[in-house]
Amino acid sequence: MKSSSTMHARQRARRPQHALIALVVTLILIALGIGLSTWQFVVVVALSKGLAALGLVLLLRCGLVSFGQGLYYCAGAYAVGMAMSHLGMRDLVPLLLLATVSAAVIAALLGVLLSRYRDIFFAILTLAFTMILYGLLIRNPVLGGSDGFNVQSPTFFLLADGALSRRTMFIITAVVVGVSIWAVQRFLATPMGRLGPAMKDNEIRVEYLGASARRNIFWNYTLAGALAGLGGGLTSFSIGHIDPDLAFWTTSGEFLFIAILGGTRNAYAPFLGAIALELIRSLAFQYVPNSWQIVIGVSMLVIIIFLPGGLISIARLWLRSAVRGA
């Protein structure tokens, strides 16, 4: 009983820290974006993809590999595009809510089936569903077919004088990412969030303890879909164009790459991986445009060999050495 109360006290003590760290991360992103204005577009795209990778991290913590996050990323983007084209919606907040809820509903419906499967069967099924969406979109002329369609710049209810500027969109994206980091960190501290690594180690033992592995996977999958939909909505605003390639399997593979590159220990890691990937790709396009895939592949090998815990392990080592030095 005493150890249980001590654990709850530690959890309550960590909650303000999560909020403080998320606030600091948001302020750092805003400061870097304002100071390095030429990189605002790259960072916004990276943060949007980081949201989809953040959902994938939740599944990886449960021992599941998904090649279908592109489905919800694309669903969120198309929900925004269709709402703007057919319903005349222009305000950012309801559009992002629509993208998030639409992707969450689809994830919940598919999660009822997918929560039954594990290992390679789960991975292949998620890949199949996202490719079904890709096939439907590419053959549907109403949604632009293979060319897709453009998305207008949104408005914001506090800025009713017109469309949002790139800087304002960057600040809003940074705030959305900060709130998402805080919310997911809170989720990881809950019993359902802590069950993920335990299920990855021994799912049968988790069932014997009275927890439902299937229900836990369902909620993690639904939350992962909602985060990907939110990222897809932000991407549609920053790029201004959506097409079926958002649901192609290579997009889901890129999210998996980001999750592995950043690490799966916490909610900050995927965004570190996403920013690193976009910077590597941008620099590779600039200096070795014909061999940028080789640069990314070599970077992946280096991370796996020397940093199996992802880029976030560098920050953990730095903090550990700083504590020892103090």
Side-chain angles (χ1 to χ4, degrees), residues 15 23 87 89 110 112 145 178 184 211 242 282:
R15 288 176 183 174
L23 178 61
L87 301 179
M89 297 175 62
L110 296 181
V112 174
V184 173
I242 55 177
S282 299

Side-chain angles (χ1 to χ4, degrees), residues 144-159:
S146 60
D147 295 328
F149 56 92
N150 294 328
V151 176
Q152 300 176 357
S153 180
T155 59
F156 195 55
F157 64 94
L158 295 177
L159 303 172

Side-chain angles (χ1 to χ4, degrees), residues 191-227:
M192 183 174 292
R194 292 179 180 273
L195 272 179
M199 290 170 50
K200 182 179 180 180
D201 292 336
N202 195 323
E203 184 175 322
I204 297 177
R205 184 176 296 175
V206 170
E207 293 280 356
Y208 274 126
L209 291 174
S212 173
R214 184 178 171 185
R215 182 171 63 247
N216 188 74
I217 290 175
F218 170 81
W219 287 113
N220 275 274
Y221 190 78
T222 302
L223 180 57
L227 290 169

Side-chain angles (χ1 to χ4, degrees), residues 97-255:
L97 288 175
L98 177 64
T100 305
V101 172
S102 300
V105 169
I106 297 174
L109 293 175
L110 296 181
V112 174
L113 171 66
L114 292 172
S115 60
R116 300 171 179 263
Y117 297 91
R118 304 291 184 272
D119 302 325
I120 190 63
F121 304 103
F122 181 89
I124 294 300
L125 281 174
T126 56
L127 174 62
F129 282 124
T130 190
M131 291 308 296
I132 288 173
L133 177 62
Y134 173 78
L136 292 175
L137 292 176
I138 205 171
R139 288 174 173 80
N140 192 338
V142 177
L143 298 177
S146 60
D147 295 328
F149 56 92
N150 294 328
V151 176
Q152 300 176 357
S153 180
T155 59
F156 195 55
F157 64 94
L158 295 177
L159 303 172
D161 55 343
L164 297 179
S165 64
R166 177 175 293 182
R167 174 177 291 186
T168 305
M169 193 66 214
F170 177 87
I171 294 174
I172 292 175
T173 302
V175 172
V176 170
V177 166
V179 173
S180 301
I181 289 175
W182 171 79
V184 173
Q185 281 293 121
R186 288 290 301 272
F187 172 77
L188 294 179
T190 63
M192 183 174 292
R194 292 179 180 273
L195 272 179
M199 290 170 50
K200 182 179 180 180
D201 292 336
N202 195 323
E203 184 175 322
I204 297 177
R205 184 176 296 175
V206 170
E207 293 280 356
Y208 274 126
L209 291 174
S212 173
R214 184 178 171 185
R215 182 171 63 247
N216 188 74
I217 290 175
F218 170 81
W219 287 113
N220 275 274
Y221 190 78
T222 302
L223 180 57
L227 290 169
L230 178 59
L234 289 171
T235 299
S236 66
F237 294 138
S238 58
I239 296 178
H241 183 81
I242 55 177
D243 57 60
D245 285 341
L246 296 175
F248 199 59
W249 70 269
T250 53
T251 304
S252 300
E254 183 176 349
F255 297 148

Side-chain angles (χ1 to χ4, degrees), residues 11 15 20 107 185 207 219 311 316 318:
Q11 291 178 3
R15 288 176 183 174
L20 180 60
Q185 281 293 121
E207 293 280 356
W219 287 113
L311 292 175
R316 292 175 64 88
W318 179 80

Side-chain angles (χ1 to χ4, degrees), residues 295-313:
V295 175
I296 293 179
V298 171
S299 303
M300 187 70 173
L301 286 175
V302 171
I303 293 296
I304 291 175
I305 294 173
F306 296 102
L307 294 171
L311 292 175
I312 196 64
S313 60

